Amino acid sequence: MGEFLTELWSFMKERKKFWLLPIFMVLLVLGALIVFTQGSAVTPFIYTLF
């Protein structure tokens, strides 16, 4: 995983694509939210956000 992050950072740095970083961060947070709330009591409240 660390190698992937290093390669992604070098790609963004070399090609000046720093605008991709917020997109990846939001996708990571939403993915973690889905994984951690699956099957819990918080799930109905998450669905009301979307």
Side-chain angles (χ1 to χ4, degrees), residues 31-44:
L33 186 67
I34 289 170
V35 167
F36 290 130
T37 59
Q38 189 172 10
S40 71
V42 183
T43 307

Side-chain angles (χ1 to χ4, degrees), residues 4-7 12 16 18 20 22 24-25 30 34 36 39-40 43 45 47-48:
F4 171 73
L5 293 175
T6 305
E7 190 172 329
M12 289 190 301
K16 307 287 192 250
F18 294 111
L20 289 173
F24 285 128
M25 294 300 287
L30 288 177
I34 289 170
F36 290 130
S40 71
T43 307
F45 300 110
Y47 289 131
T48 59

Side-chain angles (χ1 to χ4, degrees), residues 11-22 24:
F11 169 78
M12 289 190 301
K13 193 166 118 177
E14 182 177 325
R15 292 192 169 73
K16 307 287 192 250
K17 303 244 184 234
F18 294 111
W19 55 270
L20 289 173
L21 192 61
F24 285 128

